Amino acid sequence: MERWVEETLHGGFRVRLKADRVHFDSQTEHQHLVIFENSDFGRVMMLDGVVQLSTKDEFVYHEMMAHVPLFAHGGAKKALVIGGGDGGVLREVLKHPEVVSATLCEIDRSVIDLACEHFPEISAGALDDKRTRVVIADGTTFVRETDERFDVIMVDSTDPIGPGAVLFTKEFYAGCRRALKPGGILVTQNGLPFLQGPQLKQSIGYFRDLFDDSSAYLATTPSYFGGSMSYGWATDDKTLRRHKLETIERRYEKAGSFATRYWRPDMQRAAFALPTYIRELVEA
Ligand code: SAM
């Protein structure tokens, strides 16, 4: 019997994906996890009825979450990934030779273990890199209590449902600010502005109260159904998202011009060019 798996995130909008083969379908300690094969998107991971990644387009999201803040910073040594148990953002972070330590703080051990088993090409050895430290904890507790300070914090979270809801609160963002070095950058998975506009507006509002510069950038990952995905941006250094193209090109060259399939120096600036309906959410 044909099986179709439904994404249930949005009120009036559902997407169904055909599951040619189901590899895993069960409750973990924190959420419901399904892994299956789909002819259009490849191998797909869903948590609590929401697509987290697909092997055919994961490069878009992971490259844009890692390279935009790291090349904007230009000297990041210590990186923190909150969530991100599939290891995709970590993989991209570790392409930067200047990064000497990368901490992954993930609440659900099962996501890491099952991603290693069913998506080894996503983390591509990043979890075993000597610069990597894995912490199994709630991100809100980690940023509130850590003694460490980071140059860049990337919040690769689920949506504001289940264990991910706390990662969209002002308390959590204040904890991130606490855990950042001066001039550090916070970027957050902030949903699809067309369908989750109020969520983006609220997060940017919190950023505005906590940081000197707040905005968002965009990229489109086809399996995040509903248009562009937004990445929240917060820092005290207003120059970081306004670098000239030549500056980013020089930094990319210095980093060894490693292979990418979506991010490019010119995409760095372009990603911050927001269409009016999103600009109105971000600049309210
Ligand atoms: N890129 C995906 C997206 O945009 O929807 C997210 C992928 S990643 C798998 C999301 C991870 O966030 C999951 O592994 C989940 O367990 C983790 N997560 C959710 N809530 C968390 C929390 N409070 N602290 C740390 N990790 C959390």
Side-chain angles (χ1 to χ4, degrees), residues 31 45 47 51-52 61 82-86 105-108 111 137-139 156-159 163-164 166-167 189 224 229:
Q31 45 214 332
M45 178 195 286
L47 284 170
V51 172
Q52 300 300 304
Y61 174 86
I82 303 268
D86 52 74
C105 174
E106 163 61 59
I107 198 169
D108 197 333
V111 172
D138 184 323
D156 177 18
S157 72
T158 45
D159 288 276
V166 286
L167 301 181
Q189 184 275 92
Y224 295 157
M229 164 71 94

Side-chain angles (χ1 to χ4, degrees), residues 38 47 50 77 116 131 145 162 168 188 205 234 242 276:
N38 172 268
L47 284 170
V50 185
K77 296 197 171 357
C116 282
R131 294 172 288 174
E145 296 177 356
F168 293 79
T188 59
R242 297 176 174 85
T276 304

